[in-house]
Amino acid sequence: MKKTLVISLALGTAAVIVGCATTRGVSPAEADRIAADMVKTGFRSQGIANVERVTAIDETLRLCNAADVAGTPLDPAVAKRLEEANLKTIKWPADGRFLGDWKQGESIAQSGRGQTWTDSATAANGGNCYNCHQITKEEISFGTIGPSLYHYGKLRGVTDPNSAAAKPIVEYTWGKIWNAKAYNACSNMPRSGHMGNLTEQQIKHIMALLLDPASPVNK
């Protein structure tokens, strides 16, 4: 999502500031304050894009960013605690149904539109999945930050997404899309449901794209 890109750029800038300030003898806490002040003054709210997108950082982002700046892995105990906290934020389908329409899911996965200042607050967002993942074998251009999703359900033995045997992978997939940090505290994957980037129904459609045997993903 473009929202994630903006946040990443802002946090990357802040990280450089922190690093430079620290080499000049400024404490990490003071460097963080300087960086936060610069971000606040360097961005402005316009349309539906408000500055809180880059200034509202929860504990998970704060600790992962600090570990990244320090160049050290997050402490395993801290990572586990953060993952447990994020796992509790996952909202499961209200009607108990995990899959929607894979055709709509494909459209959502291949769209990166939404959440820019020129967009309407009621406009549907895209999932931007193609920017990090291969989705089907027909694609000639796709991102490689994340693993290929081609044959996602097929490789995991999902022949009937509604069966008891498929339940663990179905629930994991939903949770991963809703809040990836529940499974990897410092994951680069957007917390699409948790952050409100995608609706419950949109996630259902993407679930169908990944797990429906009829989907091109599994052909």
Side-chain angles (χ1 to χ4, degrees):
M1 299 293 294
K2 290 181 175 62
K3 174 180 177 180
T4 303
L5 176 60
V6 170
I7 292 174
S8 298
L9 291 173
L11 296 179
T13 302
V16 171
I17 295 169
V18 170
C20 293
T22 301
T23 60
R24 296 199 302 269
V26 177
S27 70
E30 179 64 9
D32 285 344
R33 186 194 64 76
I34 294 171
D37 288 345
M38 292 187 71
V39 169
K40 288 178 182 177
T41 57
F43 289 81
R44 71 177 189 277
S45 296
Q46 188 165 347
I48 65 169
N50 56 64
V51 74
E52 283 74 22
R53 289 187 185 180
V54 292
T55 59
I57 300 176
D58 64 10
E59 183 187 28
T60 300
L61 286 177
R62 179 174 58 80
L63 294 178
C64 287
N65 291 340
D68 188 46
V69 170
T72 58
L74 196 63
D75 179 85
V78 173
K80 182 179 180 181
R81 178 175 63 80
L82 293 176
E83 288 164 4
E84 290 175 348
N86 280 277
L87 186 62
K88 293 178 181 178
T89 71
I90 296 173
K91 294 181 180 179
W92 306 101
D95 60 2
R97 298 178 180 176
F98 286 85
L99 271 64
D101 177 1
W102 69 259
K103 292 180 181 179
Q104 292 190 55
E106 186 172 38
S107 177
I108 294 166
Q110 296 290 355
S111 171
R113 290 295 306 163
Q115 296 187 318
T116 66
W117 67 273
T118 57
D119 289 310
S120 165
T122 59
N125 299 320
N128 211 25
C129 307
Y130 70 94
N131 252 345
C132 297
H133 305 278
Q134 178 188 21
I135 300 174
T136 68
K137 65 180 180 180
E138 287 79 18
E139 291 177 309
I140 59 173
S141 179
F142 49 83
T144 56
I145 295 175
S148 172
L149 298 176
Y150 183 51
H151 280 172
Y152 181 87
K154 189 174 184 179
L155 289 172
R156 290 159 179 79
V158 179
T159 56
D160 178 4
N162 298 310
S163 68
K167 185 178 179 180
I169 191 63
V170 169
E171 292 186 344
Y172 165 78
T173 305
W174 179 276
K176 187 76 172 179
I177 297 172
W178 190 276
N179 186 348
K181 293 184 184 296
Y183 304 93
N184 178 355
C186 295
S187 171
N188 289 321
M189 184 169 170
R191 295 183 279 183
S192 297
H194 179 64
M195 300 302 293
N197 298 336
L198 296 176
T199 66
E200 179 181 298
Q201 190 59 52
Q202 285 181 306
I203 293 177
K204 286 186 178 186
H205 294 325
I206 292 177
M207 288 283 290
L209 177 67
L210 295 175
L211 295 168
D212 190 330
S215 164
V217 167
N218 296 309
K219 295 297 185 182

